[in-house]
Amino acid sequence: MMRLSPTPQKLSRSLALLALALPLATALAFDETLDKVAKSEGYCSRILRAQGTRREGYTEFSLRVEGDPDFYKPGSSYRVTLLAAPPSYFRGFTLIALKENREGDKEEDHAGTFQIIDEEETQFMSNCPVAVTESTPRRRTRIQVFWIAPPAGTGCVILKASIVQKRIIYFQDEGSLTKKLCEQDPTFDGVTDKPILDCCACGTAKYRLTFYGNWSEKTHPKDYPRRANHWSAIIGGSHSKNYVLWEYGGYASEGVKQVAELGSPVKMEEEIRQQSDEVLTVIKAKAQWPAWQPLNVRAAPSAEFSVDRTRHLMSFLTMMGPSPDWNVGLSAEDLCTKECGWVQKVVQDLIPWDAGTDSGVSYESPNKPTIPQEKIRPLTSLDHPQSPFYDPEGGSITQVARVVIERIARKGEQCNIVPDNVDDIVADLAPEEKDEDDTPETCIYSNWSPWSACSSSTCDKGKRMRQRMLKAQLDLSVPCPDTQDFQPCMGPGCSDEDGSTCTMSEWITWSPCSISCGMGMRSRERYVKQFPEDGSVCTLPTEETEKCTVNEECSPSSCLMTEWGEWDECSATCGMGMKKRHRMVKMSPADGSMCKAETSQAEKCMMPECHTIPCLLSPWSEWSDCSVSCGKGMRTRQRMLKSLAELGDCNEELEQVEKCMLPECPIDCELTEWSQWSECNKSCGKGHMIRTRMIQMEPQFGGAPCPETVQRKKCRIRKCLRNPSIQKLRWREARESRRSEQLREDSDGEQFPGCRMRPWTAWSECTKLCGGGIQERYMTVKKRFKSSQFSSCKDKKEIRACNVHPC
């Protein structure tokens, strides 16, 4: 990292640096001058002139590309984030993308294009339109933009950022504010290809992983599942680069699939433990029900793990439930630095990714296995309109979780023990906490109060106390631990040993034994936290060594075992049960014989008395498939009563039914019957006649489209005569013929006393296609004579059977 300040060289350079360092309102006053300077010096030259002395290991600011790739796919979109680690902040920034080994003073030196996500935060620079800068000068800890990768053949690209904090400019050509991406080879399209460097650090480092779920109805309101929302148990490990738990562009293993779809870490842990030589620590943390709670109600899930030179990567995952196969996590996060030290802190916001094993598009989609299985990929806001993360404008997905990885201790001889900051020394000296919190999940406490003052003001031993409040006890049958905690102490300037005025740290955990078989040595260290006020030298030892034995009866037939794993859950939910733990063979006997050491242990476990649990239920099953293939239907799920009925009444429902909606059923086009053919449109010669039908129902939801609604066919009347007088004569004859035909028709009506009737109408269509229907026809009065009686002259109707054949 380089800290920059203006230097009295050329006027142009001074003005350029000044414009970056001052707030935007001040910078605007120099716009006209800077425009002239920029034009005289070249394209975007003023933002590329930052100079200064880089500060090694200075990492409060960082530039990150989502997924942390080393390669880009031409034309693809990548989310770029500029971060400041709290309590640091920045007021202004610039962000550019240059082709490798280019100066940036020409337009063709810049690669790809940036896309603004939030116009209130970011904008393009007025006198360097390829660069992104702040919209308003204010305190901020992060900004995000999209970067669209350049076309194929561009080569490697350097993303570079500068930071303005107060009146100081930081610009880094190498390090955390610079990111290099090279063009991806098409043969590796879709596969994560991230080469990991060998680690040169010494000793080991211990870290604490804390998972903060931020997935709630407030942050992600669309279709948020109000029931059963949770994060599954966290599973992962610290491992070597020869083992991959999961990665973007790879395929999910069976263990990853079970976490992704069911939230079960059992198979994943089994896969990790099978890689015992490549894994140092199995990372496990409890599930979180519901998915989000205030930290004053329940602490965030956490776990501790260690890394060493060969196993310096960390991966983990946890399922977002309910979901088809959506997860969050980190893949192969490297905790070893290029300076042969150990990373102090990693803070990473997480968005969900798809395991490629289920094709559901919403939180509670029914099971729909993806066949064939697809590659693991991040979810996007354009995946599907029914997705809860859908955004028609293609914006970024709001982060659903944050993971914080903090170094809490370093052990053994270190290659690089320069602290990253003053607090880092304290972190190295802090006593290790218990690996597990024994507080039952049914007991909800407030946070511990600060420690009270020591009861002794001298070097005599005393006590100090802290306390917490029991806020809720969800299961009265499970006792909650004390709400007070005591710790031995002495007055200021006193030590636990021989009354010295030296204040010493606690002993750091013993180092590993110097040998893996037989008798060896191990050591531990502590540090002087406060020297005597009189300036004298502390005489207390800062290092201890002792003998250690590994596999006491060491011989060619002995085998090296891993540490015991954690105990499994008790086999019983109430009363007496059994629990097991396992370990694995790390190194087989040198003589090729079988390893006789036990690999599993079992012991009894006592759960609350069964009569205290009147109603114990299994988890809900998965929702059944919808009862219909399209449209509205129903689906069900069940659970079972696990406790005996005689232990008490259980009125909880064992089956739930809810509505489900699948895409609407397709509706085909519906038409009326064809009309009668029209008369020929010509009175002589060749013509045509048409018939039509009407659309009664337009097609909907993918139904069959409407066929033709108009048909025409040719008609031919007698030949037309060429002599016009003859033609007129023919027309006159035809007109007379029609008149006589009408008169004949009038006289054809049946005669009844006192009236003349019109001819019978045609029979109507049959009311049924088969099984017997009826047809009707009518005769109406055409003319009634004056002498007629009304009763003898009226309309008539006839009915007959039709389509009497069976259906």
Side-chain angles (χ1 to χ4, degrees):
M1 180 81 60
M2 293 191 292
R3 176 167 294 191
L4 304 178
S5 59
T7 57
Q9 298 177 11
K10 296 181 180 180
L11 172 63
S12 59
R13 179 173 302 175
S14 300
L15 290 174
L17 292 175
L18 183 60
L20 274 176
L22 293 176
L24 182 63
T26 306
L28 289 175
F30 291 92
D31 254 0
E32 185 177 352
T33 305
L34 289 174
D35 285 342
K36 295 178 181 178
V37 173
K39 291 176 182 177
S40 63
E41 289 194 349
Y43 191 83
C44 298
S45 59
R46 74 180 184 87
I47 71 169
L48 302 168
R49 295 227 172 211
Q51 295 181 356
T53 303
R54 175 157 39 107
R55 294 175 56 183
E56 297 291 343
Y58 194 65
T59 57
E60 62 179 318
F61 302 115
S62 60
L63 179 67
R64 302 201 68 165
V65 179
E66 187 175 36
D68 202 20
D70 285 334
F71 298 89
Y72 69 84
K73 183 178 179 182
S76 294
S77 178
Y78 298 87
R79 181 159 44 188
V80 179
T81 306
L82 189 57
L83 292 167
S88 297
Y89 63 89
F90 56 92
R91 291 183 179 276
F93 71 94
T94 58
L95 181 60
I96 58 174
L98 295 176
K99 297 176 183 176
E100 190 175 25
N101 300 323
R102 298 292 184 93
E103 296 296 328
D105 53 358
K106 300 177 182 177
E107 185 174 0
E108 57 268 23
D109 291 353
H110 296 258
T113 55
F114 288 106
Q115 183 178 333
I116 301 298
I117 295 177
D118 187 348
E119 293 182 354
E120 293 184 1
E121 289 285 334
T122 54
Q123 66 178 6
F124 293 108
M125 214 164 190
S126 59
N127 44 10
C128 183
V130 291
V132 177
T133 188
E134 74 280 355
S135 294
T136 54
R138 65 174 181 81
R139 289 191 178 203
R140 49 173 59 82
T141 57
R142 65 181 256 164
I143 63 96
Q144 288 188 334
V145 296
F146 281 119
W147 177 67
I148 314 300
T154 303
C156 294
V157 176
I158 312 295
L159 294 171
K160 301 170 69 174
S162 64
I163 291 292
V164 180
Q165 184 194 42
K166 296 181 181 177
R167 291 179 177 240
I168 303 169
I169 302 173
Y170 302 92
F171 194 91
Q172 210 163 309
D173 288 329
E174 295 178 4
S176 61
L177 283 177
T178 299
K179 177 69 176 177
K180 179 179 178 180
L181 297 174
C182 291
E183 187 175 339
Q184 179 177 293
D185 187 333
T187 58
F188 296 100
D189 187 17
V191 179
T192 301
D193 189 8
K194 180 182 178 183
I196 300 171
L197 301 177
D198 290 332
C199 179
C200 58
C202 303
T204 62
K206 190 170 185 178
Y207 289 88
R208 180 183 292 111
L209 177 152
T210 308
F211 181 84
Y212 299 96
N214 191 38
W215 175 49
S216 67
E217 189 171 11
K218 181 178 180 181
T219 60
H220 298 79
K222 183 181 178 184
D223 300 334
Y224 186 78
R226 298 189 177 183
R227 296 177 296 178
N229 58 80
H230 70 284
W231 295 105
S232 73
I234 291 173
I235 184 67
S238 56
H239 57 93
S240 72
K241 63 182 181 180
N242 298 325
Y243 176 47
V244 177
L245 274 76
W246 72 271
E247 63 177 347
Y248 290 134
Y251 290 96
S253 65
E254 182 60 32
V256 171
K257 178 182 178 182
Q258 290 193 15
V259 174
E261 295 187 13
L262 309 174
S264 170
V266 177
K267 182 64 177 178
M268 187 78 242
E269 182 178 356
E270 179 183 329
E271 292 178 355
I272 294 173
R273 294 191 183 278
Q274 287 174 354
Q275 300 286 334
S276 57
D277 290 340
E278 307 296 337
V279 175
L280 182 60
T281 308
V282 177
I283 300 172
K284 298 171 66 177
K286 296 178 180 179
Q288 188 171 2
W289 294 77
W292 182 87
Q293 280 185 332
L295 294 180
N296 61 356
V297 175
R298 176 166 295 176
S302 65
E304 294 182 1
F305 64 95
S306 298
V307 291
D308 60 18
R309 176 178 288 190
T310 57
R311 293 157 292 191
H312 53 95
L313 306 177
M314 189 281 296
S315 303
F316 83 93
L317 69 159
T318 175
M319 174 204 183
M320 172 191 286
S323 71
D325 59 347
W326 300 343
N327 296 251
V328 299
L330 291 180
S331 174
E333 184 72 22
D334 196 347
L335 299 176
C336 182
T337 68
K338 295 178 182 178
E339 293 77 22
C340 301
W342 298 108
V343 172
Q344 182 190 6
K345 188 174 184 180
V346 175
V347 180
Q348 182 67 46
D349 290 328
L350 305 175
I351 63 170
W353 48 267
D354 189 309
T357 60
D358 191 292
S359 298
V361 296
S362 62
Y363 291 125
E364 299 185 271
S365 292
N367 287 335
K368 187 179 179 182
T370 303
I371 301 174
Q373 183 174 334
E374 295 177 353
K375 296 176 181 178
I376 296 174
R377 64 172 185 85
L379 292 179
T380 72
S381 59
L382 294 174
D383 285 338
H384 195 281
Q386 295 181 8
S387 166
F389 308 108
Y390 181 72
D391 180 359
E393 297 181 0
S396 59
I397 293 178
T398 303
Q399 55 97 359
V400 296
R402 170 175 290 184
V403 63
V404 177
I405 303 169
E406 294 181 278
R407 194 180 73 223
I408 56 176
R410 293 184 285 200
K411 303 177 186 177
E413 183 178 353
Q414 300 286 317
C415 305
N416 181 355
I417 58 171
V418 178
D420 297 298
N421 56 39
V422 176
D423 294 334
D424 188 38
I425 301 173
V426 180
D428 283 344
L429 305 183
E432 294 186 18
E433 299 180 3
K434 292 188 296 183
D435 287 339
E436 291 189 13
D437 181 6
D438 296 329
T439 304
E441 289 192 359
T442 55
C443 302
I444 300 177
Y445 291 94
S446 66
N447 292 330
W448 284 108
S449 69
W451 286 105
S452 67
C454 191
S455 62
S456 172
S457 58
T458 66
C459 288
D460 294 329
K461 287 190 175 180
K463 286 185 177 180
R464 60 177 183 168
M465 181 193 75
R466 63 176 181 173
Q467 55 188 356
R468 60 182 176 178
M469 182 176 67
L470 180 61
K471 302 179 73 172
Q473 187 173 0
L474 304 181
D475 189 345
L476 297 178
S477 65
V478 179
C480 292
D482 295 332
T483 57
Q484 292 184 329
D485 188 17
F486 296 91
Q487 189 180 71
C489 62
M490 289 189 292
C494 300
S495 170
D496 291 348
E497 302 178 30
D498 66 21
S500 170
T501 55
C502 287
T503 303
M504 306 297 292
S505 72
E506 298 290 335
W507 286 106
I508 294 178
T509 307
W510 289 103
S511 66
C513 199
S514 59
I515 62 172
S516 59
C517 188
M519 182 73 71
M521 298 296 294
R522 65 177 184 173
S523 63
R524 65 177 182 174
E525 297 176 336
R526 64 178 178 178
Y527 299 87
V528 178
K529 295 179 70 176
Q530 182 176 338
F531 286 92
E533 295 181 2
D534 59 7
S536 59
V537 179
C538 287
T539 58
L540 294 175
T542 58
E543 185 175 1
E544 281 185 350
T545 59
E546 69 175 17
K547 294 180 180 180
C548 56
T549 302
V550 180
N551 292 345
E552 188 171 349
E553 298 177 359
C554 192
S555 67
S557 62
S558 62
C559 55
L560 186 61
M561 307 295 293
T562 62
E563 295 294 326
W564 285 106
E566 297 181 8
W567 287 103
D568 296 338
E569 293 185 1
C570 192
S571 61
T573 54
C574 64
M576 184 69 71
M578 297 294 293
K579 62 179 181 179
K580 294 182 179 181
R581 66 175 183 175
H582 307 274
R583 64 177 179 177
M584 303 184 70
V585 177
K586 197 169 185 179
M587 183 180 296
S588 300
D591 59 4
S593 60
M594 296 293 292
C595 190
K596 298 179 181 179
E598 61 179 352
T599 58
S600 63
Q601 287 183 343
E603 69 175 28
K604 295 179 180 180
C605 52
M606 185 66 190
M607 301 297 285
E609 292 295 331
C610 290
H611 63 79
T612 65
I613 307 177
C615 184
L616 190 61
L617 299 166
S618 69
W620 285 107
S621 67
E622 295 292 329
W623 285 104
S624 67
D625 291 337
C626 201
S627 60
V628 296
S629 59
C630 61
K632 294 181 180 179
M634 303 296 290
R635 63 177 186 172
T636 61
R637 66 175 182 177
Q638 296 84 28
R639 59 180 174 179
M640 298 175 59
L641 182 65
K642 297 174 68 175
S643 56
L644 299 177
E646 59 266 18
L647 295 180
D649 295 331
C650 186
N651 297 321
E652 298 289 337
E653 59 180 346
L654 300 180
E655 183 175 18
Q656 286 183 343
V657 180
E658 71 172 17
K659 295 178 182 179
C660 50
M661 182 68 188
L662 293 177
E664 294 286 352
C665 298
I667 299 176
D668 295 339
C669 177
E670 292 185 11
L671 299 167
T672 63
E673 293 295 324
W674 287 106
S675 68
Q676 296 295 327
W677 286 103
S678 68
E679 293 185 359
C680 194
N681 69 330
K682 296 287 183 66
S683 58
C684 64
K686 294 181 180 179
H688 68 266
M689 49 187 181
I690 61 173
R691 64 174 182 175
T692 60
R693 54 182 174 179
M694 304 294 291
I695 296 176
Q696 289 183 321
M697 177 71 73
E698 293 283 352
Q700 299 181 52
F701 312 114
C706 292
E708 61 181 354
T709 57
V710 178
Q711 284 184 347
R712 73 170 59 191
K713 68 178 180 179
K714 295 178 180 179
C715 55
R716 186 181 180 90
I717 314 297
R718 62 187 179 281
K719 290 184 179 181
C720 296
L721 299 178
R722 295 182 181 180
N723 191 325
S725 59
I726 298 178
Q727 183 69 34
K728 289 181 180 179
L729 180 60
R730 291 284 176 86
W731 288 346
R732 190 178 298 110
E733 291 176 352
R735 193 162 52 248
E736 293 297 331
S737 175
R738 284 195 297 271
R739 185 179 295 112
S740 61
E741 185 178 344
Q742 181 68 35
L743 293 174
R744 188 168 54 254
E745 180 182 329
D746 290 345
S747 62
D748 284 345
E750 294 188 32
Q751 296 292 331
F752 287 89
C755 61
R756 180 181 295 132
M757 306 297 289
R758 295 182 186 276
W760 286 103
T761 64
W763 287 104
S764 67
E765 290 187 3
C766 193
T767 57
K768 292 185 180 180
L769 297 177
C770 59
I774 61 173
Q775 286 179 302
E776 299 175 338
R777 69 172 183 174
Y778 301 90
M779 176 186 288
T780 58
V781 176
K782 183 176 182 182
K783 187 175 182 180
R784 182 178 288 109
F785 302 125
K786 293 181 180 181
S787 60
S788 66
Q789 297 295 324
F790 180 77
S791 59
S792 64
C793 188
K794 58 181 178 180
D795 295 343
K796 301 185 182 300
K797 174 181 175 182
E798 285 188 354
I799 299 175
R800 71 178 182 183
C802 58
N803 291 342
V804 294
H805 57 278
C807 294

